Structure formats: structure tokens, C-alpha cells
Amino acid sequence: MFDEIKVDVGAIIDQAVAMEKSAESLQEASATLFEKLRELQESTAGGASEAASTMTLDTIGKIEARAGKLTRNAKVIRELAALYDAADREGARSFGD
């Protein structure tokens, strides 16, 4: 009646790890960009500098939002992998494996 569902939990966890690493890289890029922005603000002034600061802060916000999404998605993927793993163990127990 039901087809067997095969889920490669290892591949799912690998995807979560890759997303977490990407989020970490984005956070590091954001921190570096913020440092460079501070240096720019200390060494320049004027309308162009303010425009660059505004654009850079906007970019930093977008980078941090993307990193947050990746982190949240990785957490959901890990929870899904745990659910598949638990269901697989329950199914194996019900068949006496």
C-alpha cells in the first residue's frame, strides 16, 4: 500500500552544515565591511562619504539578513533530519530490525 521512503539523512545534514558555513562567511564579510566603513567615515567627510556610508549600511543589513535566513534554514533542516532519523528508527523497531 505504501512505498518505502528512503531518506539520506547524511546528505541532509551536509546541506545544513554547508548553510551554516555560508552564514558564518557572510557574518565575517559583514564584520569586515563594517570595519572598512568605520575607517572610511574616520578618513572622509561630505556628501559622497555619507552616500557611501548609507549604501554600505544597507548592504551590511542585507548580508546579515541573508546570514540569518541561512542559519534558520539550517536549523530547520537539522530538525527535519532528526525527524526522518527518528521515524526510520521507529519503523525499524516496528518490523523487529
Side-chain angles (χ1 to χ4, degrees):
M1 182 171 178
F2 294 102
D3 291 332
E4 187 174 331
I5 298 175
K6 293 278 186 182
V7 176
D8 184 359
V9 174
I12 293 172
I13 294 295
D14 289 346
Q15 182 63 36
V17 169
M19 292 172 91
E20 290 163 345
K21 285 182 180 179
S22 293
E24 185 177 311
S25 293
L26 286 171
Q27 290 167 341
E28 289 171 5
S30 175
T32 300
L33 193 55
F34 194 74
E35 270 181 45
K36 298 298 180 186
L37 174 62
R38 288 289 173 224
E39 291 173 12
L40 175 70
Q41 290 172 332
E42 290 172 3
S43 64
T44 62
S49 178
E50 288 178 24
S53 294
T54 300
M55 290 175 57
T56 303
L57 287 172
D58 183 55
T59 300
I60 290 170
K62 289 176 182 176
I63 290 170
E64 290 176 352
R66 179 68 180 144
K69 285 180 183 178
L70 285 168
T71 301
R72 287 188 301 277
N73 288 347
K75 180 182 176 192
V76 169
I77 287 172
R78 285 183 178 278
E79 291 170 357
L80 180 62
L83 178 64
Y84 279 133
D85 191 47
D88 188 43
R89 280 184 271 121
E90 286 297 318
R93 272 185 274 215
S94 71
F95 288 108
D97 290 341

